[in-house]
């Protein structure tokens, strides 16, 4: 390793040489020792930079040494590193004075830029500027000043490319990807991350892979996202592996396929606590593992209530919640209220969501699904519209087909997991969403024989019970065990449980009446024809000779639906009739 032959003033030459040494399996510590042996201010700055890049044991000593040199370049390179690390610590600690302390860090960086502007422009001077722009971008990112964050990161990358320093370019590119990721620029993040994968040298690639995976999740592309995270888990260890496992746990909870058991991964340095998101989703998973009947109904409702409380606390405690997380809390709250039959509260939570960023495909599908589920309820607040929610969902799935990295089938699975009634509606409406076709299985076929999910044949009285519950009738007693075969009904009840990923889900049977009602709210003949076809294919009332206490209610439902189909009753009239007899 001939350090004397290296031009330390040239960023391109030095950084190419540095990468070459690593490829020859020379350790960063050996490179730092060689640079210290040169003894010049420039060599000490280079030693500090290498020590920072690779976290060598001499970093702290070199940082202090460069801060005390008479060289402005050495001072400001060291300050850039020190401020970045201190800013991370401040963000990690949080507290009432966090923003004031971070403002101090921005002030220190602004002073550095003024000092650097007074010295001749050299490669090292430009590297020092890059070292200031990157923490400036991160500080603005923390304050959610996304435009400013992107400007500083972009300027850092531009300067790095001008001096031809491959490590500087890779580091600035990594910072820019982080900024786009946090700002919610999903497709840009993916494009930059994919380009980064093609580079011969990468800096911070572990975080880039996490940003890539998270963006794929947002687009509904869970298959590729999971593969990306699993690959990262296999390739790294320590804190990086923990970050990857934490993301996987959080997303498995959002998609309702896992993460129900075990401790929530702790927050790592520089991160805002997001474990509450996993906890909220765990409550939704626990709720949906229970049927809407009997003694378990109260336990189901309590889990929904706990999810609402977790989201409320996240707001009350002033956590640094970015846009996606803020919208997530509104969707969870709305979904939990729907699960508890609190429709006005659900509508209020959905109204707070407002217009969603176009690239947040996952939350767009979920919030619109919750809205459609609400609109299909008899006692939905005035102003809710099946047609409006349907149109919104059509747009999302149409856009997903046009976006390179989005996945319509993935979004359909996500929608079906949390809003199966909405997914079934999209599968049965005119010009249905093809990705949702599988959701038809949730709709019960009733009559002489009663079948749910293509493979569960239901006893007549239990089928009656499920139809009424699917229509939101408040059955205080578990009538499925009256005048029926208790043992057979219990067995069928267990058959409605299904394992999804690592968790159990009580599959929610859907009455065709609900879908037909939604179709008939349209003023289009094609929708009315489809409603008639669905009622004919799936039926309204199971046939039974049992002395079922709620049989009169079922007969009234049947008469009202026939009147609706014949034009003798409006959709609003049907909803009013259902509320009268419930």
């Amino acid at each position: 390793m001939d350090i004397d032959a290296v031009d330390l003033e040239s960023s391109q030459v030095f950084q190419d040489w540095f990468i070459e040494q690593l490829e020859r399996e020379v350790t960063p510590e050996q490179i730092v020792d060689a640079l210290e042996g040169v003894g010049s201010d420039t060599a000490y700055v280079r030693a500090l930079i290498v020590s920072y890049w690779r976290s060598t044991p001499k970093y702290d000593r070199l940082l202090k040494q460069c801060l005390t040199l008479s060289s402005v370049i050495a001072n400001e390179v060291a300050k850039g590193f020190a401020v970045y690390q201190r800013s991370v610590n401040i963000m990690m600690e949080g507290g009432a004075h966090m923003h004031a302390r971070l403002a101090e860090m921005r002030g220190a960086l602004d002073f550095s830029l003024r000092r650097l502007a007074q010295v001749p422009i050299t490669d090292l001077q430009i590297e020092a500027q890059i070292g200031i722009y990157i923490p400036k971008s991160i500080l603005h990112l923390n304050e959610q000043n996304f435009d400013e964050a992107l400007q500083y990161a972009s300027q850092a990358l531009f300067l790095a490319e001008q001096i031809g320093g491959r490590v500087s370019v890779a580091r600035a590119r990594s910072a820019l990807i982080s900024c786009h990721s946090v700002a919610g620029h999903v497709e840009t993040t993916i494009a930059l991350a994919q380009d980064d994968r093609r580079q011969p040298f990468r800096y911070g690639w572990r975080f880039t892979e996490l940003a890539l995976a998270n963006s794929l999740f947002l687009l509904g592309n869970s298959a590729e996202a999971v593969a990306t995270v699993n690959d990262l888990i296999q390739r790294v260890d320590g804190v990086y592996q923990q970050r990857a496992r934490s993301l996987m746990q959080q997303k498995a909870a959002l998609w309702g396929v896992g993460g129900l058991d075990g401790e929530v991964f702790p927050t790592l340095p520089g991160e805002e606590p997001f474990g509450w998101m996993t906890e909220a989703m765990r409550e939704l998973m626990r709720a949906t593992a229970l049927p809407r009947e009997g003694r378990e109904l109260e336990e189901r409702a309590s889990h929904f209530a706990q999810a609402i409380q977790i989201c409320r606390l996240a707001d009350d405690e002033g956590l640094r919640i970015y846009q996606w997380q803020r919208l997530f809390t509104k969707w969870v709250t709305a979904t939990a209220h729907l699960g508890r039959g609190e429709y006005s509260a659900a509508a209020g939570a959905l109204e707070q969501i407002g217009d969603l960023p176009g690239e947040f495909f996952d939350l767009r599908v979920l919030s619109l699904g919750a809205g459609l589920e609400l609109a299909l309820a008899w006692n939905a607040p005035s102003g809710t519209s099946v047609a409006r929610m349907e149109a919104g969902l059509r747009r999302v799935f149409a856009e997903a087909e046009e976006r390179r990295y989005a996945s319509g089938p993935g979004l359909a699975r996500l929608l079906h997991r949390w809003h199966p009634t909405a997914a079934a509606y999209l599968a049965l409406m005119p010009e249905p969403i093809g990705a949702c076709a599988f959701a038809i299985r949730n709709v019960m076929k009733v009559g002489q024989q009663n079948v749910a999910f293509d493979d569960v044949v239901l006893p007549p009285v239990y089928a009656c019970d499920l139809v009424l519950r699917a229509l939101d009738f408040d059955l205080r007693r578990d009538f499925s065990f009256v005048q029926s075969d208790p043992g057979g009904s219990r067995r069928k009840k267990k058959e409605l449980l299904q394992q999804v990923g690592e968790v159990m889900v009580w599959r929610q049977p859907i009455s065709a009446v609900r879908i037909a009602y939604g179709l008939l709210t349209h003023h289009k003949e094609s929708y009315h024809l489809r409603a008639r076809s669905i009622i004919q294919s799936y039926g309204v009332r199971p046939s039974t000779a049992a002395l079922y206490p709620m049989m009169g209610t079922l007969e009234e439902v049947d008469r009202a639906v026939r009147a609706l189909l014949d034009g003798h009753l409006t959709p609003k009239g049907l909803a009013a009739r259902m509320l009268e007899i419930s």
Side-chain angles (χ1 to χ4, degrees), residues 76-77 80-81 84 109 126-135 171:
E76 302 313 324
V77 166
F81 294 152
Y84 179 83
L109 294 176
I126 293 175
E127 280 193 58
Q129 288 186 63
I130 293 169
I132 301 301
Y133 286 142
I134 289 176
R171 184 178 173 225

Side-chain angles (χ1 to χ4, degrees), residues 279-516:
E279 294 287 6
M281 292 309 304
R282 284 183 171 185
E283 293 301 329
L284 292 190
M285 285 189 282
R286 292 182 181 114
T288 54
L290 297 170
R292 298 174 58 188
E293 56 184 273
R295 291 184 299 272
E296 290 146 316
L297 183 61
E298 291 185 8
E299 183 181 352
R300 176 185 172 95
S302 70
H303 287 305
F304 282 131
Q306 187 60 30
I308 295 170
Q309 178 66 7
I310 290 170
C311 290
R312 183 179 296 123
L313 288 174
D315 279 334
D316 291 345
E317 293 178 1
L319 297 178
R320 190 171 69 248
I321 299 177
Y322 294 105
Q323 187 177 30
W324 189 95
Q325 286 78 23
R326 185 177 297 108
L327 297 170
F328 164 84
T329 64
K330 305 309 178 187
W331 167 73
V332 170
T333 300
T335 299
H337 280 305
L338 282 172
R340 290 174 57 85
E342 299 163 349
Y343 298 105
S344 293
L350 289 173
E351 286 175 2
Q352 294 179 44
I353 291 178
D355 294 329
L356 282 156
E359 293 182 295
F360 288 1
F361 277 66
D362 55 351
L363 287 182
R364 287 174 67 194
V365 159
L366 289 172
S367 61
L368 287 166
L372 179 54
E373 187 176 298
L374 174 64
L376 291 170
W378 309 133
N379 48 359
S382 61
T384 56
S385 168
V386 171
R388 187 170 65 250
M389 296 303 163
E390 175 195 318
L393 285 161
R394 284 188 185 277
R395 281 194 296 272
V396 174
F397 281 98
E399 290 173 27
E401 290 186 5
E402 298 173 355
R403 303 292 181 97
R404 178 179 177 185
Y405 299 105
S407 171
L411 293 169
R413 289 194 303 274
L414 180 62
L415 174 66
H416 178 261
R417 175 63 175 91
W418 298 114
H419 301 294
T421 303
Y425 177 91
L426 296 182
L428 287 169
M429 66 184 180
E431 300 181 31
I433 304 299
C436 294
F438 67 96
I440 292 174
R441 299 180 67 243
N442 283 64
V443 183
M444 288 183 287
K445 292 183 177 181
V446 296
Q448 295 300 323
Q449 189 180 40
N450 311 294
V451 180
F453 308 103
D454 298 337
D455 57 2
V456 180
V457 179
L458 301 166
V461 173
Y462 188 37
C464 292
D465 197 61
L466 290 175
V467 167
L468 289 169
R469 294 183 191 280
L471 296 174
D472 292 334
F473 283 85
D474 185 11
L475 305 183
R476 296 294 181 178
R477 297 173 56 197
D478 195 348
F479 287 116
S480 65
F481 302 110
V482 180
Q483 305 292 343
S484 183
D485 171 18
S489 293
R490 289 193 181 97
R491 284 196 298 274
K492 295 304 177 184
K493 189 174 179 179
K494 289 182 179 179
E495 287 184 31
L496 291 176
L497 277 171
Q498 182 185 48
Q499 184 160 339
V500 177
E502 300 173 3
V503 301
M504 300 302 296
V505 177
W506 194 79
R507 295 181 288 179
Q508 180 179 319
I510 298 166
S511 170
V513 174
R514 184 74 82 199
I515 307 300

Side-chain angles (χ1 to χ4, degrees), residues 249-263:
Q249 182 186 63
Q250 183 187 116
K251 295 302 181 179
L254 175 67
W255 285 67
V257 297
L260 187 58
D261 299 317
E263 294 294 324

